[in-house]
Amino acid sequence: MNVMDDKLFYNEIKEFARNYLDKQNSNEKHLWERLGEFGILGLSIDEKYGGLGESYRMCAEILEILGYTCWNNGLIFSINNHIWMAQNLINLYGSTWLKNKYVGNMVAGEKIGAFALTEPDAGSDPYSMKTCAIRAGDYYIINGRKTFVSNGPIADVFIVFAITSQTEMKKITAFVVDKTMPGVTIGKNIEKMGLECSPTSDICFENCEVPADNILGKVDLGNNILDAALEWERCFEFIPHIGSMKRIMEYCIKYSNERKQFGKRINENQSISHKIANMSMKIELAKNLMYRIVDLKEQGKSSYYESSIFKVFVSESYVETCRDAIQILGAYGYTKEYPVEKELRDAIASTIYSGTNEMQRNNIFNIESIRNMV
């Protein structure tokens, strides 16, 4: 695409998000097919699988636009989870057979993907997972339970991590599991304080037979795929939050320009104007981090360190932006008549998912310690 084509496409995305996505729930099948027709689900996927084959830079810019235009944060989260934590992993690590079987259908929105890692007793420490897979001829028998699976209630395809070697250092393997396989039970939707349009559930596996052909990568080497998956998540699933912050900032500018107290606009008070200035600084810094990571991805390099920083900075900036927005709106901001209270409820989850911010700080410290070893 040239610059003019890019602008036209971006405007089409804004129009699509504004007129369609805000009013939808992610459990509506026709929505996913519409997303597939529009091309949103296949941004980075090769054209031979029905994708657009766009650069990661353009993917990032489109995701920021979606976050900016669409107030339905839960839906955007579900879409991102499908793209980066399921479809993307099959595209990068799946065999040609797996890609032919799943990727085209996922790009078209005919199959919805989910990422199943967290367990009741294995959150920040994924290697304490209990889900295991035992070889039985041409199949692996999976037993275990995953929890807080985003898209769980609506997904057709799950990326499931299970222990395949009980040595001193546990080794895990990544599997592509279809919901139609015997032994798969999907739990009811877990109600949350935010992200209501992103359904979440437990997934149980009881003697679930998964063909050995459904392994991503190689047996016992799922650790590498897991690390890579979380790196993708910490980058691309947090990009829409930059757009959300910009949308909230502009909402606050408009409100503070119209609202008057003591005979003057409230944004003439530094306590208000400085909050908006802080929002702007956070947005610009987040975008700089985003482009740094995207450039690394374009070069095929790791961004594990940078993505951890990005995840922490964006999530905490997002929460702070929402809290400041409520302060700017005062009592109105605390009511459901105005949109910012919902934004805060949605934003809080971002400090938890994809590895808590405390764990990200551990990652950052450990990497810096290694770098500075004498």
Side-chain angles (χ1 to χ4, degrees), residues 79-349:
I79 293 169
N80 253 329
N81 205 266
H82 164 88
I83 294 173
W84 302 105
M85 302 306 289
Q87 176 183 280
N88 182 53
L89 298 183
I90 298 174
N91 186 55
L92 291 177
Y93 302 105
S95 63
T96 300
W97 180 82
L98 274 177
K99 287 190 278 192
N100 287 332
K101 183 176 181 180
Y102 290 106
V103 174
N105 289 330
M106 296 176 81
V107 166
E110 295 167 1
K111 287 185 179 293
I112 301 170
F115 182 79
L117 172 66
T118 301
E119 297 185 3
D121 297 317
S124 295
D125 179 15
Y127 293 101
S128 65
M129 73 174 69
K130 296 177 181 177
T131 299
C132 63
I134 300 174
R135 184 74 186 246
D138 294 331
Y139 291 84
Y140 276 82
I141 309 300
I142 298 181
N143 282 284
R145 174 186 167 196
K146 301 295 183 178
T147 192
F148 300 123
V149 180
S150 299
N151 289 348
I154 61 173
D156 304 287
V157 182
F158 299 92
I159 307 300
V160 179
F161 290 85
I163 299 167
T164 44
S165 181
Q166 290 281 8
T167 57
E168 185 177 346
M169 287 290 292
K170 290 181 180 178
K171 295 182 179 179
I172 61 175
T173 301
F175 296 87
V176 180
V177 179
D178 199 295
K179 76 171 184 180
T180 60
M181 292 175 178
V184 177
T185 302
I186 299 173
K188 66 179 182 178
N189 184 43
I190 299 170
E191 293 188 8
K192 309 181 295 295
M193 69 179 285
L195 300 175
E196 293 97 334
C197 287
S198 178
T200 308
S201 71
D202 285 4
I203 309 293
C204 293
F205 305 95
E206 186 175 358
N207 295 324
C208 177
E209 294 187 0
V210 181
D213 289 338
N214 278 44
I215 288 175
L216 282 184
K218 296 182 180 180
V219 178
D220 292 343
L221 295 181
N223 312 54
N224 298 331
I225 295 176
L226 173 57
D227 288 344
L230 294 175
E231 183 181 314
W232 285 102
E233 182 181 29
R234 288 163 191 160
C235 173
F236 285 92
E237 287 204 15
F238 285 80
I239 289 173
H241 302 335
I242 301 174
S244 297
M245 287 191 287
K246 183 179 179 183
R247 182 186 68 233
I248 295 165
M249 179 185 71
E250 291 181 358
Y251 187 89
C252 290
I253 291 172
K254 183 175 185 296
Y255 178 87
S256 64
N257 196 47
E258 295 172 351
R259 174 75 167 169
K260 290 185 178 180
Q261 291 287 280
F262 304 105
K264 64 180 182 180
R265 296 191 303 270
I266 63 171
N267 61 14
E268 293 180 42
N269 298 303
Q270 284 189 342
S271 60
I272 301 296
S273 61
H274 284 188
K275 281 182 170 59
I276 294 173
N278 287 338
M279 293 177 186
S280 181
M281 289 188 290
K282 289 165 185 170
I283 292 166
E284 290 305 312
L285 290 169
K287 288 182 73 168
N288 286 335
L289 278 169
M290 176 187 82
Y291 284 120
R292 164 65 176 158
I293 293 169
V294 167
D295 286 344
L296 288 172
K297 286 299 182 186
E298 293 283 11
Q299 299 170 44
K301 296 179 179 179
S302 171
S303 64
Y304 193 84
Y305 170 76
E306 291 82 1
S307 293
S308 288
I309 294 175
F310 183 69
K311 192 271 184 191
V312 172
F313 182 77
V314 171
S315 62
E316 293 183 356
S317 295
Y318 188 19
V319 172
E320 289 166 5
T321 294
C322 292
R323 290 180 63 184
D324 283 346
I326 289 177
Q327 288 298 121
I328 290 171
L329 270 70
Y332 291 113
Y334 195 63
T335 67
K336 291 196 174 183
E337 182 181 351
Y338 288 75
V340 292
E341 63 84 25
K342 179 182 178 298
E343 288 285 345
L344 178 58
R345 288 189 286 111
D346 291 342
I348 288 172

Side-chain angles (χ1 to χ4, degrees), residues 31-45:
L31 164 67
W32 291 90
E33 293 170 352
R34 183 78 178 272
L35 286 163
E37 291 171 4
F38 192 79
I40 294 295
L41 302 181
L43 293 175
S44 65
I45 302 298

